[in-house]
Amino acid sequence: MSSSTAAPRARQIVAAVIGNALEWYDFIVFGFLAVVISRLFFPADSEYSSLLMATATFGVGFFMRPVGGVLLGIYADRKGRKAALQLIIAMMTVSIALIAFAPPYAAIGLAAPLLIVLARLLQGFATGGEFASATSFLIESAPPNKRGLYGSWQMFGQGLAVFAGAGVTALITRNLSPEALDAWGWRIPFMIGLLIGPVGLWIRRHLEETEAFLEAHKAPAEKQSIARMLRNHLREVFAVMGVTVCGTVGFYVILVYMPTFATKQLGMVLSDAFTAQVIAVALMTILMPVFGALSDRVGRKILVILAAAGLLVASYPLLSWVHAAPSFERLVTMQIVLCILLAVFFGPISAVMAEQFPAGVRSTGLALAYNVAVMVFGGFAQFIVTWLIHTTGLAIAPVFYVMFAAALGFVSALFLTDRTKVAHLAAVDEEIPAPHAGHDGRDGVILPRTAVNRA
């Protein structure tokens, strides 16, 4: 690769990943600081009620994701990936600014929690369109034989954002007094996120539109609608939704909930639980681009199937083994095995999901399937696993939710179309059958061989 092409491609990767990373950074920071935010913005008769209102506010963003995903997905498919990416990161920046500068309840009363709710609604709306629009841009910008590798950087960015959010929050909570933290310290992580926003906006303003999108809009096509997209791509939507359930449940249970499980159900020290988590997540983050690149050689579908099967088979015996004799060694071993399986899954998942839809409806289809699955199965994950433990009386009950999601992901992956091999020859859209030149009969556009993505 020449230096003249390496720089634009590096800029494309950063442009696509930075918004998704900012989303997860904000997600982690808000979650870690929920106790402080609840005191300052949601005062109530009891600490429990105050925290409950703050966490509920945190959750409202999930309900806006499908709405934002569909509307911004349509916008990206009509106006372009670049336009959508700029709009999304601008909204993200505004939402973070609202939180960072919001006066507390003691200063402005009821307007304070309303500002936080508004910020979470706006953030949820924006992030609903971020993954689909950024993934579409990333996959369409990639060399045809490196889409797995390029797509994996989305998930890699999420991993780094989780580390950054956790690291910044840990630093301020350990080095500031409770009084300083409540007075001004809690704003520091949001201020740092606020600095990222303008940088991302500047990068995205200097991008070029993808050739796949431009070619799709050269050909005559009927006006898009959600109903038409669903009618023509219903199988793809359900397949992507199913594998997303596997990924989102794996993320929230294995990565987010496991430290809580280790302390509450296994009686382990919180520091040991977080140390095991850091080791396993670090390994997973490093391995995701490796498996993304591997998917460009061996195929994406087979890796997703193997990873889902591995989670289905390994989760119960591993969790039972740790529960039988809790120890740091057993916990870290279990987390490493599960996180390696997640790396196999997450490495190719962005590319394979994007490849299910032609360019003309890629952002819309991906946004709808992805965000509905995340809202229902990810947003309610902690509620579901808590209910399972209470209902069954089993400490390892969360494993049943993971197994359900893995089974659904395995079956759904069987219905994915693997376009890895043909991607070495031409853009994905070229391979979707068409009744006549230039149009696929299902709202997608067929690229001629001369229109292979050269970005």
Side-chain angles (χ1 to χ4, degrees), residues 241-364:
M241 194 178 296
V243 294
T244 300
V245 170
C246 181
T248 195
V249 170
F251 181 91
Y252 285 104
V253 176
I254 297 173
L255 302 184
V256 176
Y257 180 74
M258 196 53 68
T260 301
F261 174 83
T263 54
K264 299 293 185 182
Q265 304 300 326
L266 303 181
M268 297 183 64
V269 179
L270 185 60
S271 60
D272 284 349
F274 275 116
T275 301
Q277 193 76 334
V278 167
I279 293 171
V281 173
L283 180 61
M284 182 191 73
T285 304
I286 293 169
L287 288 178
M288 284 189 292
V290 175
F291 287 109
L294 181 62
S295 76
D296 288 320
R297 294 179 175 272
V298 303
R300 313 193 215 294
K301 181 175 177 177
I302 184 62
L303 291 183
V304 175
I305 289 174
L306 289 174
L311 288 171
L312 177 61
V313 172
S315 297
Y316 184 83
L318 281 171
L319 204 59
S320 298
W321 177 63
V322 175
H323 181 257
S327 68
F328 173 78
E329 292 75 14
R330 289 197 175 197
L331 179 63
V332 75
T333 300
M334 178 190 72
Q335 286 297 84
I336 285 175
V337 173
L338 293 178
C339 282
I340 288 175
L341 290 171
L342 287 178
V344 178
F345 183 91
F346 286 135
I349 199 63
S350 296
V352 76
M353 291 196 302
E355 288 175 339
Q356 300 310 299
F357 302 98
V361 295
R362 182 168 289 141
S363 290
T364 306

Side-chain angles (χ1 to χ4, degrees), residues 195-207:
L195 295 176
I196 299 172
V199 174
L201 183 60
W202 181 85
I203 293 173
R204 289 182 171 186
R205 284 188 64 185
H206 291 81
L207 293 174

Side-chain angles (χ1 to χ4, degrees), residues 47-405:
E47 182 179 348
Y48 172 75
S49 299
S50 179
L51 183 59
L52 190 63
M53 286 188 287
T55 53
T57 301
F58 178 67
V60 298
F62 280 99
F63 289 96
M64 289 300 293
R65 289 180 71 126
V67 178
V70 169
L71 294 179
L72 291 170
I74 293 174
Y75 183 79
D77 286 334
R78 291 182 179 176
K79 301 297 184 181
R81 317 302 188 212
K82 177 181 176 180
L85 290 174
Q86 291 183 76
L87 176 61
I88 289 166
I89 202 164
M91 287 192 291
M92 284 184 179
T93 304
V94 171
S95 69
I96 294 178
L98 285 173
I99 298 175
F101 295 109
Y105 187 91
I108 60 173
L110 186 60
L114 291 179
L115 277 176
I116 301 298
V117 171
L118 175 62
R120 295 304 299 173
L121 290 173
L122 182 60
Q123 199 262 354
F125 185 92
T127 56
E130 170 63 29
F131 180 82
S133 298
T135 300
S136 296
F137 178 84
L138 197 57
I139 299 306
E140 292 168 6
S141 298
N145 63 339
K146 292 185 178 179
R147 285 180 170 168
L149 175 60
Y150 271 53
S152 69
W153 292 116
Q154 275 284 63
M155 310 310 294
F156 181 85
Q158 288 187 15
L160 289 183
V162 170
F163 277 115
V168 171
T169 308
L171 282 174
I172 65 165
T173 53
R174 289 180 181 179
N175 291 284
L176 294 178
S177 66
E179 294 76 18
L181 185 64
D182 282 6
W184 53 269
W186 69 272
R187 299 182 189 271
I188 294 175
F190 295 103
M191 294 289 189
I192 294 173
L194 189 59
L195 295 176
I196 299 172
V199 174
L201 183 60
W202 181 85
I203 293 173
R204 289 182 171 186
R205 284 188 64 185
H206 291 81
L207 293 174
E208 293 184 2
E209 190 55 78
T210 67
E211 289 188 29
F213 172 80
L214 295 175
E215 291 292 338
H217 278 249
K218 286 181 182 178
E222 299 180 37
K223 186 177 181 180
Q224 276 304 324
S225 68
I226 294 297
R228 182 174 178 81
M229 188 278 296
L230 286 174
R231 183 170 67 249
N232 294 324
H233 302 283
L234 189 61
R235 168 179 163 169
E236 290 88 345
V237 167
F238 277 114
V240 170
M241 194 178 296
V243 294
T244 300
V245 170
C246 181
T248 195
V249 170
F251 181 91
Y252 285 104
V253 176
I254 297 173
L255 302 184
V256 176
Y257 180 74
M258 196 53 68
T260 301
F261 174 83
T263 54
K264 299 293 185 182
Q265 304 300 326
L266 303 181
M268 297 183 64
V269 179
L270 185 60
S271 60
D272 284 349
F274 275 116
T275 301
Q277 193 76 334
V278 167
I279 293 171
V281 173
L283 180 61
M284 182 191 73
T285 304
I286 293 169
L287 288 178
M288 284 189 292
V290 175
F291 287 109
L294 181 62
S295 76
D296 288 320
R297 294 179 175 272
V298 303
R300 313 193 215 294
K301 181 175 177 177
I302 184 62
L303 291 183
V304 175
I305 289 174
L306 289 174
L311 288 171
L312 177 61
V313 172
S315 297
Y316 184 83
L318 281 171
L319 204 59
S320 298
W321 177 63
V322 175
H323 181 257
S327 68
F328 173 78
E329 292 75 14
R330 289 197 175 197
L331 179 63
V332 75
T333 300
M334 178 190 72
Q335 286 297 84
I336 285 175
V337 173
L338 293 178
C339 282
I340 288 175
L341 290 171
L342 287 178
V344 178
F345 183 91
F346 286 135
I349 199 63
S350 296
V352 76
M353 291 196 302
E355 288 175 339
Q356 300 310 299
F357 302 98
V361 295
R362 182 168 289 141
S363 290
T364 306
L366 186 55
L368 179 65
Y370 176 81
N371 286 297
V372 169
V374 170
M375 179 190 73
V376 177
F377 294 93
F380 292 95
Q382 296 203 32
F383 171 83
I384 292 172
V385 296
T386 303
W387 174 81
L388 282 172
I389 293 172
H390 177 76
T391 302
T392 64
L394 299 173
I396 64 170
V399 77
F400 300 132
Y401 192 39
V402 176
M403 293 172 68
F404 156 76

